[in-house]
Amino acid sequence: MSRTRHLIGTHSVDNGGIDMAVRRATAAGMSAVQIFTAVPKFYGDKSKIRPERAQRFKEALVETGIEPGHVMVHGAYVLNAATNDEGKWERSVAGLAKEMDRSATLGVGGVCFHPGACPRGKAEPGEGAQRVARAMTRALKDAPGLTRLYVENSAGAGTTYGRNAFEIGAILAALPEDVRERAGYGLDTCHLFVSGYDLKSSEADLRAVLDEFEETAGEPPSFFHLNDSVGALGSNRDRHALIGAGEIGEEPFGWLLADRRSRGIPLLLETPKQNTDIAADDPSGDPYDVRMMEVLRALGAQT
């Protein structure tokens, strides 16, 4: 994948279907998109992609020019691959595997998911990394193909896992070699900030954060979620804001766009939408997404 340009995208409203989500992202001027393939409040371990739904989605990609490799699927929020509760872990693994199966059917580039939570006593954090890695391994082996699986850093609330570079690196290090090349990680700017990573003090400090993750994980991130933060630094409050309307502010996103690691990978907005009840047949880009594209271009995005 080329690292010469920025691939800005958004998690579009999917009223009318995931094909309409693609059309709305393009209408907002974007070259990438993030979608759900099933209701994110449930495990999705029984949900399938109907052939006609997959066909409409693929046709939308062709018509809009968004490459399948620039599509990210976000896993269900309830998945908890780090848990030491065997029943919840098995259900989470089944849900993650089914997500990979649906995404492989769609032919998209990647799936991202939150690692979940585990106890913080004694050896549990290390065991949490092993459990997440086992879940990823099963999901990847159950869905052979090119679709990759990415773990996302957490906001660090409570006992959530993946809050820092060490924990993300531990997950990836625990993966067996035969699936490691199809796995990676991504960074959410809001999650970084509220988990204690200061992105706004200086460009050098932001670059040092990215260096820490790259050195610890052994590779740069495979995507970014571009979100400003309602919560303050270190607050662990996972609530996203429009870029420039939160505690991080606009300038650090310009620093991020200037970093080599932001090029050629999906940079996905998970910021608020103005029109969440858009008609099913309306392909218009969301006004907030249009505004965010203007902001990012002004900050230096090369699209």
Side-chain angles (χ1 to χ4, degrees), residues 169 172 180 185 212-220:
L172 297 178
R180 180 63 183 87
Y185 73 99
E212 179 183 347
F213 274 89
E214 182 170 8
E215 291 166 6
T216 305
E219 63 187 51

Side-chain angles (χ1 to χ4, degrees), residues 62-95:
V62 172
E63 292 170 17
T64 60
I66 290 184
E67 297 181 21
H70 301 164
V71 179
M72 183 72 69
V73 168
H74 200 299
Y77 297 135
V78 296
L79 299 179
N80 187 354
T83 183
N84 62 356
D85 181 311
E86 192 63 25
K88 291 180 180 178
W89 186 83
E90 287 288 350
R91 188 84 187 272
S92 296
V93 173

Side-chain angles (χ1 to χ4, degrees), residues 100-298:
M100 286 295 293
D101 178 67
R102 291 191 297 269
S103 299
T105 297
L106 294 174
V108 303
V111 172
C112 66
F113 74 104
H114 301 164
C118 69
R120 287 273 159 187
K122 298 181 181 179
E124 273 298 331
E127 293 176 5
Q130 293 289 332
R131 288 191 289 268
V132 177
R134 290 202 310 273
M136 293 177 71
T137 300
R138 275 180 44 178
L140 286 164
K141 288 186 174 181
D142 285 350
L146 300 178
T147 300
R148 302 186 74 214
L149 182 57
Y150 306 122
V151 62
E152 178 184 343
N153 66 305
S154 75
T159 61
T160 52
Y161 199 70
R163 65 181 67 188
N164 54 43
F166 173 80
E167 292 182 352
I168 293 295
I171 292 169
L172 297 178
L175 291 168
E177 289 186 10
D178 59 344
V179 300
R180 180 63 183 87
E181 65 179 11
R182 287 180 61 204
Y185 73 99
L187 297 176
D188 182 307
T189 53
C190 174
H191 296 178
L192 284 171
F193 188 71
V194 299
S195 65
Y197 285 99
D198 189 352
L199 305 179
K200 63 184 293 182
S201 290
S202 70
E203 184 172 6
D205 286 339
L206 183 145
R207 188 166 55 248
V209 171
L210 301 185
D211 289 345
E212 179 183 347
F213 274 89
E214 182 170 8
E215 291 166 6
T216 305
E219 63 187 51
S222 292
F223 71 92
F224 283 96
H225 283 154
L226 302 185
N227 301 310
D228 210 327
S229 173
V230 172
L233 176 66
S235 66
N236 304 128
R237 187 182 182 194
D238 186 6
R239 186 177 171 192
H240 302 172
L242 294 171
I243 292 173
E247 293 289 328
I248 299 174
E250 282 190 12
E251 188 174 26
F253 289 91
W255 300 336
L256 177 58
L257 291 170
D259 190 279
R260 61 175 173 80
R261 286 160 288 206
S262 71
R263 293 180 178 268
I265 61 173
L267 307 177
L268 301 160
L269 295 160
E270 295 179 318
T271 45
K273 299 291 183 283
Q274 181 175 309
N275 193 5
T276 57
D277 60 352
I278 189 170
D281 61 350
D282 186 347
S284 302
D286 189 87
Y288 283 170
D289 282 343
V290 173
R291 188 206 300 180
M292 291 297 94
M293 279 301 300
E294 294 171 351
V295 168
L296 291 168
R297 287 191 179 112

